[in-house]
Amino acid sequence: MTNPVDFEPPVLPDPNVNRTLIQQAVAFEVRGRVSAVAGESVEIEGMTAPIGSICELKSQDGAITRSRVIGFRGVRPILAPLERLNALAAGDSVRLVDTTLKLRVGPSLCGRVIDAFGQPVDGKPLPKDLMTVDAEREPPESLERPSIDTPLQTGIRAIDTMLTCGQGQRLGIFAGSGVGKSTLLGMLARGSNADRIVIGMVGERGREVQEFLNQALGDAGFARSVVVVATSDRPAAQRVSAAWTATAIAEAFRDQGENVLLLLDSVTRFAMAQRELGLAAGEPPTTRGYPPSVFNMLPRLVERAGRTQRGSITAFYTVLVEGDDHNEPIADALRGLLDGHFVLSRDLAARAHWPPIDILHSLSRLQPNLVSREALQAAAITRQHLSEYHRHADLISIGAYRQGSDPRVDAAIAMREPLNLFLQQEATQITKLEDSTRMLMQLASAQPVPTQVNANVSAQPPPAVSAVGESSGIVTS
């Protein structure tokens, strides 16, 4: 006989979930057939569907392949497969599944790894208490976005003090291959004080997924994270969908009143996947082969992040600059769309300076609104030291500079090693925001600052009144 104490009642499904599924169900069936296949695009006849619709292709052996409508050739829809095509032939059946991609999300999804369709890839079933949402939705209206005035702790001293981020800010991480983007993302996930973390791995190597989960993210970071994966071997349509899926999950958490950290690696591979789809749909290639749809989708992607009346999404988008060219089309477009950017320097990485953030070429547009006047002055003085040393680095390295020639350069040389030690940090080390700020202010006041630097800083009004100008080393927009 079962002990009544050990009896657990069955978990009943949420009626709101079932109600939503019934309301969103398609009450009729639309069917067509395959007319032609060219590369990674499938042309169908006998039916029509809106752009973005999800269809199922059924081959003669019974295999089903999901696909998405990406355009039209005449009156015939063009589909991009979301999965590998298997033995598809002309005349095979096509069925409309839904007009949009639907996902199931909720707090119990944390600690899970899913694919671009929201399906688990870790071998475990999905929880039963998830709500259904659309993978693509409109960004919040501009007047519904409150001001960003609360700093976000990242645990990284170089960012928290010199490039302070706010809850709801959108930033880019610009770097070439192998410079340390994934390591920096892991540091952000572990050190952030966000309520939830959503990580989108778009176009990454399959080997890197497990390494990122075990080494970069860690158990503590993974416990409050949802990881969306679409590796480089997946079809282009699936890689594009993974970015929308990660953003939709972050939006669902934000709508519940939480502060979310969204890490998307990388937006460049998202753009490359959309380039494949655009060219397959017949779009004309423009700058470096990118069709117009790529530059139309980038603002739609980044504008969905940000702060609303309910919560916030602080987003970091990695940008893989081709050939270390920071003016290539995707990087150049995103610099104008985001609220700041971090540049990772290959030269700093070669000198084992980790994280290799180039402070002088990076900026946070909202920093003056997030920190105190004293902290802003300390960051301005530090930038001045770094800039002076950088300008005279060649003379200093060959011994041509004579001590006492310029008090500003003397101060920069004296602060060189202390600042380098402060800006460097081990990947497993987390520093609280208050501690980082206090350390920087102590460093900035440790050496006598030239009169010109003091004048530039002290002449500025408080950040709440006016942004600090370029003379203090912080550029705002």
Side-chain angles (χ1 to χ4, degrees):
M1 181 176 180
T2 305
N3 189 346
V5 178
D6 298 333
F7 176 74
E8 295 184 1
V11 179
L12 298 177
D14 189 343
N16 293 324
V17 175
N18 292 335
R19 184 184 300 111
T20 303
L21 292 175
I22 294 174
Q23 291 174 347
Q24 296 177 344
V26 179
F28 53 88
E29 189 170 73
V30 178
R31 286 186 176 273
R33 55 188 177 275
V34 175
S35 174
V37 178
E40 289 294 315
S41 63
V42 180
E43 185 176 326
I44 61 176
E45 61 183 2
M47 61 170 282
T48 187
I51 289 182
S53 299
I54 306 300
C55 300
E56 286 183 351
L57 305 174
K58 186 175 182 180
S59 58
Q60 295 179 358
D61 59 1
I64 295 178
T65 304
R66 284 172 289 187
S67 59
R68 164 171 275 172
V69 179
I70 60 172
F72 296 88
R73 185 169 291 119
V75 296
R76 295 182 176 183
I78 301 174
L79 307 183
L82 291 163
E83 302 166 295
R84 296 185 186 277
L85 289 175
N86 296 313
L88 196 65
D92 285 349
S93 174
V94 181
R95 183 176 70 89
L96 174 65
V97 177
D98 208 328
T99 54
T100 59
L101 178 63
K102 297 292 192 301
L103 306 170
R104 297 179 62 200
V105 302
S108 57
L109 201 59
C110 289
R112 303 296 303 273
V113 183
I114 60 176
D115 61 14
F117 316 117
Q119 298 301 314
V121 297
D122 52 9
K124 304 175 185 178
L126 285 177
K128 297 181 179 180
D129 58 345
L130 303 179
M131 292 292 294
T132 302
V133 299
D134 286 332
E136 297 186 38
R137 54 186 280 190
E138 291 298 320
E141 294 293 337
S142 57
L143 296 181
E144 297 177 359
R145 299 175 181 265
S147 299
I148 297 174
D149 52 12
T150 305
L152 174 80
Q153 175 186 297
T154 66
I156 303 172
R157 292 191 294 268
I159 296 177
D160 285 342
T161 57
M162 304 299 298
L163 304 162
T164 311
C165 307
Q167 293 181 0
Q169 192 170 351
R170 303 157 304 174
L171 301 108
I173 300 176
F174 294 71
S177 57
V179 182
K181 296 186 300 299
S182 298
T183 303
L184 182 60
L185 290 182
M187 295 177 69
L188 290 170
R190 290 193 305 272
S192 168
N193 59 357
D195 300 323
R196 307 282 181 181
I197 303 172
V198 180
I199 303 171
M201 305 187 71
V202 180
E204 292 296 310
R205 292 179 286 271
R207 172 188 60 81
E208 291 183 335
V209 176
Q210 191 69 33
E211 290 183 1
F212 181 83
L213 297 178
N214 296 336
Q215 301 176 14
L217 191 57
D219 294 337
F222 185 51
R224 55 180 176 144
S225 302
V226 180
V227 183
V228 182
V229 176
T231 52
S232 58
D233 61 316
R234 301 299 178 181
Q238 187 174 149
R239 281 176 273 146
V240 171
S241 296
W244 300 124
T245 297
T247 305
I249 295 173
E251 288 173 323
F253 289 142
R254 179 182 63 186
D255 292 344
Q256 296 172 1
E258 296 183 305
N259 296 315
V260 186
L261 178 66
L262 173 62
L263 307 175
L264 187 59
D265 185 21
S266 72
V267 71
T268 303
R269 294 192 174 102
F270 164 81
M272 290 179 174
Q274 179 57 34
R275 177 171 61 182
E276 294 181 35
L277 298 183
L279 295 177
E283 289 188 67
T286 56
T287 309
R288 293 201 184 180
Y290 287 104
S293 63
V294 172
F295 301 100
N296 180 40
M297 280 193 172
L298 289 178
R300 287 173 50 199
L301 178 68
V302 302
E303 285 295 329
R304 290 174 63 179
R307 185 182 176 189
T308 65
Q309 300 291 347
R310 296 183 178 180
S312 67
I313 299 176
T314 308
F316 290 86
Y317 302 96
T318 66
V319 182
L320 180 63
V321 292
E322 299 179 2
D324 288 349
D325 178 13
H326 290 268
N327 292 318
E328 58 94 20
I330 302 302
D332 193 47
L334 281 170
R335 260 195 305 270
L337 296 172
L338 299 173
D339 304 319
H341 59 271
F342 307 154
V343 175
L344 303 190
S345 168
R346 191 176 296 276
D347 181 58
L348 290 177
R351 299 203 302 263
H353 183 292
W354 304 104
I357 301 175
D358 188 341
I359 299 296
L360 295 178
H361 291 90
S362 305
L363 71 91
S364 173
R365 301 179 191 271
L366 302 181
Q367 184 179 17
N369 303 324
L370 301 171
V371 300
S372 66
R373 174 185 175 82
E374 293 76 17
L376 194 61
Q377 290 175 343
I381 293 171
T382 302
R383 277 183 177 267
Q384 186 71 25
H385 288 320
L386 295 173
S387 178
E388 288 294 336
Y389 191 94
H390 178 74
R391 285 201 302 157
H392 298 84
D394 292 338
L395 294 177
I396 297 171
S397 63
I398 64 175
Y401 175 75
R402 185 168 56 187
Q403 186 76 15
S405 301
D406 189 332
R408 294 174 300 182
V409 181
D410 294 341
I413 294 174
M415 293 297 294
R416 175 68 173 175
E417 287 305 317
L419 286 178
N420 274 341
L421 291 175
F422 173 76
L423 295 175
Q424 294 182 60
Q425 190 170 338
E426 294 182 3
T428 56
Q429 185 181 10
I430 298 173
T431 307
K432 292 184 178 180
L433 178 61
E434 308 83 47
D435 296 337
S436 298
T437 303
R438 185 180 65 254
M439 293 167 64
L440 181 68
M441 293 174 66
Q442 291 174 350
L443 277 175
S445 61
Q447 291 290 329
V449 182
T451 305
Q452 182 178 352
V453 179
N454 277 327
N456 287 338
V457 175
S458 61
Q460 302 300 328
V465 177
S466 173
V468 176
E470 294 186 9
S471 60
S472 65
I474 298 202
V475 180
T476 62
S477 173

